Amino acid sequence: MDVDPDDVEPNEPDNDAPNGSPWTLEDTFPSSWVVFWPHQEAPTREEIGSAFAAWLGRDIDAQSPENEEDSVLWVMAFTLDGLESPAVVWAESAIPVQDEEGLQAIRDCKWVIRMQVMLPQSEPHEAYFRAVALLAGALGDVAGILDAVTGQFIPRETLESGFLLPEAKPHERWLWRVGGVGVAGEESNEDRPTLLFTTGLWRCGRPELELMEIPAKHVRAGLILLDAMAGLLLEGDMPEVGEQVEVGPGLEVCLQPWQEVAATVLDGAPGSNTFRAAARSEEGFSPLLGVRAVVCHPEPIGEFKKVWTWPTQVIAALETGHAALFATEHAIDATASRARRHFDVFATAFASLRRSGDAAHQALVQSAFQVQAPLEGGMDPDRVEQAWFIVRKFDGDSLDTVLLDQPHSRVDLSGGSSVRVPVANITDWRVELPEGDLSSELWTELLPAVDRLRGIS
């Protein structure tokens, strides 16, 4: 997963924090989206304003700021619920797209509509959800929307299921993306040092996160850790520099300013001072020199000269497959909504495989179907553990299950303990098939995969 540093988002905040905290962003950063207009004629201000008003069910009272860009057809600004600053929308000619997931509808677009908003630092995921839902709902024939901050393209199918269905809920995971930069020319070296980093947290008033010098063979676990850290930092307050942060039961890290860690990195390596300076864009900015927090081992490592390094113990625990990271309430709610909405697919797949007369299929059905649910009665009333259970039997509105692993919060239970789980309590599900694991996020692929396994597709 090697990325050209010149491709990193070209924003650079002032690093001089007025209150002395290295996590303070002096500037605010907008969210912006690009909507690919599917028609030959350019969109007009009147038709887009009317479409927004119809979707919102009210007059948007759009203003017309002065347009100083020759390439911009028109500009309008209006208020959105939950936003202090107005949303700004404009239309312009499209830049040719070469390889946007092979979507001909995107490549053929002559015009784009762009929207920019300032997300509130409190509950930014809800404002993000409303903004994207407005674009997707009011402009119902567009093929997709590009998040211009993260570079993530949201296709129409995802817009429908994730933003427009009545049961769709705001999900914080859209707010950031995790990328990586490895040492060029060493793609086959599993030990090559890699820099992992987030893009998108600045717009939420948080520093971007990094993992520095993590060997390439540990990148997958590193991505999981950065995702979890980003969510936890958005839900709570920023910790002090060096303060130990519990990211899971018995799993701790700390945050250090990138300057502190980069000082000990080999010159030219990803994350070093020279590497960061070389990432400057044509405008002269390098986002890698901005406000950024490096996720580190709780204490510096070294026999003679102690240095801050990547959190080896947390990464090792994640790679066992049995470690648990804390999840935010927002993430749990959004995942639970999806898992319950498509639980019928999970149940149908279970019944289909159980009907098979193949002994291997019968053995698989006793371990492959797993659900996640809260484990009540733990030692910490403020943190309810989300445990995984192996489904053994469907029984009305409940499941007969056994715990997959030793829980952290219940000393009276162990892996293999029998637990009855109400279907209404399920927060996620997954199925471990020979061709790969399928979570509730991939629900459309589950039944075809089971059919292929049974040889009936």
Side-chain angles (χ1 to χ4, degrees):
M1 185 177 54
D2 297 334
V3 182
D4 188 331
D6 291 336
D7 291 339
V8 182
E9 186 71 17
N11 290 328
E12 181 179 22
D14 189 342
N15 232 6
D16 297 327
N19 64 357
S21 171
W23 311 142
T24 301
L25 280 77
E26 194 168 75
D27 300 318
T28 55
F29 295 84
S31 278
S32 58
W33 299 270
V34 181
V35 182
F36 297 89
W37 186 244
H39 308 292
Q40 290 297 310
E41 292 186 345
T44 66
R45 180 185 184 279
E46 290 71 24
E47 66 181 315
I48 299 305
S50 297
F52 285 171
W55 175 258
L56 293 172
R58 62 174 174 82
D59 184 1
I60 63 172
D61 191 23
Q63 306 299 312
S64 299
E66 184 176 348
N67 175 23
E68 298 180 356
E69 299 287 340
D70 293 338
S71 60
V72 174
L73 303 179
W74 48 262
V75 183
M76 66 176 174
F78 58 94
T79 58
L80 272 177
D81 293 342
L83 297 179
E84 296 180 2
S85 302
V88 181
V89 179
W90 68 96
E92 62 187 22
S93 298
I95 298 174
V97 177
Q98 301 298 324
D99 55 355
E100 190 56 69
E101 299 186 4
L103 291 177
Q104 190 67 38
I106 301 302
R107 293 198 298 269
D108 291 344
C109 283
K110 294 183 177 181
W111 314 97
V112 295
I113 300 165
R114 305 189 66 142
M115 182 165 76
Q116 180 173 291
V117 302
M118 291 290 185
L119 298 178
Q121 294 189 17
S122 176
E123 309 294 345
H125 67 299
E126 292 189 359
Y128 186 103
F129 180 85
R130 286 195 295 271
V132 175
L134 168 62
L135 292 171
L139 309 176
D141 55 354
V142 300
I145 298 174
L146 176 70
D147 184 325
V149 174
T150 64
Q152 186 168 6
F153 180 75
I154 311 174
R156 168 52 63 178
E157 181 181 4
T158 303
L159 292 172
E160 295 286 344
S161 61
F163 294 88
L164 299 181
L165 286 178
E167 59 268 30
K169 289 187 176 184
H171 199 313
E172 61 196 8
R173 187 58 190 84
W174 289 107
L175 293 171
W176 70 86
R177 174 180 59 86
V178 182
V181 182
V183 178
E186 294 189 16
E187 289 76 11
S188 62
N189 179 8
E190 290 190 343
D191 292 316
R192 71 187 188 281
T194 303
L195 170 68
L196 300 181
F197 54 87
T198 63
T199 302
L201 295 181
W202 280 342
R203 60 182 170 183
C204 306
R206 290 290 189 265
E208 299 293 355
L209 298 178
E210 296 184 356
L211 274 174
M212 288 177 57
E213 294 195 292
I214 184 170
K217 60 188 175 184
H218 300 305
V219 159
R220 185 174 182 275
L223 296 175
I224 295 172
L225 175 58
L226 279 189
D227 270 335
M229 280 293 299
L232 293 174
L233 294 181
L234 285 177
E235 191 174 62
D237 297 329
M238 283 296 298
E240 298 292 333
V241 171
E243 177 184 347
Q244 294 188 2
V245 179
E246 190 178 22
V247 295
L251 303 176
E252 293 184 336
V253 299
C254 77
L255 298 181
Q256 294 291 331
W258 68 263
Q259 297 91 334
E260 184 74 21
V261 186
T264 61
V265 176
L266 185 66
D267 194 35
S272 65
N273 289 322
T274 53
F275 180 89
R276 293 172 187 272
R280 290 185 181 275
S281 66
E282 294 180 358
E283 292 79 13
F285 298 117
S286 170
L288 298 181
L289 296 174
V291 179
R292 311 179 73 83
V294 184
V295 183
C296 298
H297 191 75
E299 299 176 350
I301 303 297
E303 190 69 27
F304 300 104
K305 181 181 179 181
K306 293 186 179 297
V307 298
W308 294 104
T309 184
W310 53 282
T312 53
Q313 293 179 351
V314 174
I315 295 298
L318 288 174
E319 290 179 335
T320 66
H322 300 287
L325 296 178
F326 294 135
T328 66
E329 291 183 7
H330 304 144
I332 292 173
D333 286 347
T335 301
S337 177
R338 180 186 64 222
R340 294 167 190 165
R341 184 167 70 246
H342 303 300
F343 189 72
D344 59 325
V345 175
F346 179 87
T348 301
F350 182 91
S352 175
L353 197 59
R354 197 170 190 179
R355 284 197 304 269
S356 171
D358 188 287
H361 296 167
Q362 291 299 316
L364 183 63
V365 81
Q366 290 299 307
S367 63
F369 290 79
Q370 302 169 14
V371 296
Q372 180 182 255
L375 193 60
E376 304 292 347
M379 297 174 288
D380 186 350
D382 295 328
R383 282 178 173 167
V384 178
E385 181 176 358
Q386 296 289 326
W388 282 96
F389 305 84
I390 301 173
V391 177
R392 292 293 167 79
K393 181 183 177 182
F394 283 69
D395 187 9
D397 58 359
S398 297
L399 304 172
D400 289 340
T401 74
V402 296
L403 269 166
L404 181 61
D405 296 306
Q406 170 69 51
H408 299 278
S409 60
R410 294 280 301 273
V411 295
D412 58 317
L413 297 175
S414 61
S417 294
S418 297
V419 180
R420 193 167 178 83
V421 176
V423 171
N425 288 0
I426 290 173
T427 54
D428 202 2
W429 53 257
R430 67 190 179 200
V431 182
E432 298 181 346
L433 297 178
E435 68 177 53
D437 298 349
L438 295 175
S439 67
S440 63
E441 189 173 7
L442 302 174
W443 66 273
T444 58
E445 301 178 24
L446 179 55
L447 292 179
V450 170
D451 287 346
R452 287 193 297 273
L453 179 63
R454 295 187 59 194
I456 59 177
S457 59

